[in-house]
Amino acid sequence: MLETFKNILSFRLSRFNQITILGVLIFLCAYFLISLIFSLNNNIINLKKENEITISRIEFLTSIDEQEIILKSGFSNNFVSSINTSASKNNLSIDRSLPLSNGEISIWINESNFINLFNWLLEINNNGVEITKMNIRRISKDTVSAQLTFKS
């Protein structure tokens, strides 16, 4: 065994083989770095697109005049019933609702389409309902879960 180890240590590569191995290692490192740079660049581009979409949605929501919201209020006196009816019209399923002491209501929506949730929030906002707290988590590409608190 000791003799085999000595043979391995005494093995010498020719100058051509050393240069070839070094060239292959440099090529592999360069390929890995270039692949990493392209991957990070694609991630940056995707994040910029998502930010632009989010900013445009926020700008749209802030552009709604408060007086228009109050005048468009079509919700009935039964606040909870109106929210449930509106949610079902937008293909959303409210999993849990909790009335709070200050006239607010907290609701949980699990695994819903983001576009349906966004459209519903616009409808709610246009009908004079204030969204006081919002926590939305992404579950998959188009699916989200949300915990929302509303005040009429």
Side-chain angles (χ1 to χ4, degrees), residues 15-82:
R15 179 60 89 194
F16 177 75
N17 288 342
Q18 290 174 354
I19 292 172
T20 305
I21 290 172
L22 183 61
V24 168
L25 288 175
I26 290 173
F27 174 76
L28 289 174
C29 288
Y31 178 78
F32 174 74
L33 289 174
I34 290 171
S35 297
L36 182 64
I37 289 169
F38 278 117
S39 174
L40 291 174
N41 193 28
N42 285 339
N43 286 345
I44 289 171
I45 290 170
N46 290 338
L47 288 173
K48 283 182 180 179
K49 287 179 185 176
E50 286 181 23
N51 285 342
E52 288 173 2
I53 291 169
T54 304
I55 288 170
S56 68
R57 288 178 178 159
I58 290 171
E59 287 173 350
F60 174 76
L61 288 174
T62 57
S63 70
I64 299 173
D65 189 9
E66 279 190 41
Q67 292 300 326
E68 289 178 11
I69 293 173
I70 293 170
L71 293 175
K72 291 182 181 177
S73 179
F75 272 44
S76 68
N77 291 335
N78 190 345
F79 179 53
V80 176
S81 174
S82 299

